[in-house]
């Protein structure tokens, strides 16, 4: 018989480290859904400090790939993300098919 109330732990490839762990900043910087503003709110580290941490923590090739990705994506910066969302909603309103 199985024990009642036992929920299995879902294992993921890159689980989220605890926020007090220094690796959390690296994990959050790689995550697309977490903006620099949220990282600063939770840890107190500015975007420049996060970039320095990333430069020290990961390989140079990985750092270059990350910087390229962050600069191309508009979702790592809250203002750019909100602006891109407004553009998308305006396009949808202009192209009403109903």
């Amino acid at each position: 018989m199985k024990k009642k109330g036992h929920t299995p732990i879902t294992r993921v490839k890159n689980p989220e480290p605890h926020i007090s762990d220094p690796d959390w900043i690296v994990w959050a910087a790689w995550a697309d859904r977490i903006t620099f503003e949220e990282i600063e709110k939770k840890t107190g580290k500015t975007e420049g400090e996060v970039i320095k941490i990333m430069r020290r923590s990961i390989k140079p090739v990985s750092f270059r790939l990350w910087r390229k990705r962050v600069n191309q994506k508009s979702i790592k910066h809250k203002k750019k993300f909100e602006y891109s969302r407004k553009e998308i909603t305006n396009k949808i309103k202009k192209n009403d098919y109903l």
Side-chain angles (χ1 to χ4, degrees):
M1 281 185 105
K2 289 185 179 181
K3 291 182 180 179
K4 291 184 179 181
H6 174 66
T7 306
I9 298 171
T10 305
R11 296 182 190 265
V12 292
K13 189 173 183 179
N14 293 322
E16 179 179 351
H18 194 267
I19 198 160
S20 62
D21 189 8
D23 291 335
W24 186 87
I25 295 173
V26 175
W27 177 85
W30 271 109
D32 288 336
R33 67 183 182 272
I34 301 175
T35 63
F36 285 121
E37 289 83 4
E38 291 175 28
I39 294 172
E40 185 174 2
K41 194 185 305 178
K42 289 184 180 183
T43 63
K45 304 284 185 193
T46 63
E47 181 180 350
E49 292 171 333
V50 171
I51 291 170
K52 287 178 185 176
I53 290 168
M54 291 294 283
R55 186 175 277 132
R56 282 192 316 254
S57 301
I58 60 178
K59 295 185 281 186
V61 174
S62 299
F63 175 75
R64 279 185 236 118
L65 287 171
W66 175 75
R67 284 299 290 162
K68 185 177 179 182
R69 215 169 122 235
V70 168
N71 288 332
Q72 289 176 349
K73 298 246 182 199
S74 63
I75 57 178
K76 283 305 273 188
H77 293 54
K78 192 174 184 178
K79 287 182 182 178
K80 289 181 180 179
F81 177 70
E82 290 170 353
Y83 178 74
S84 68
R85 287 287 146 208
K86 286 179 185 177
E87 281 186 345
I88 290 170
T89 54
N90 288 339
K91 286 179 183 177
I92 291 171
K93 287 177 185 176
K94 287 179 186 176
N95 297 328
D96 279 338
Y97 295 106
L98 298 176

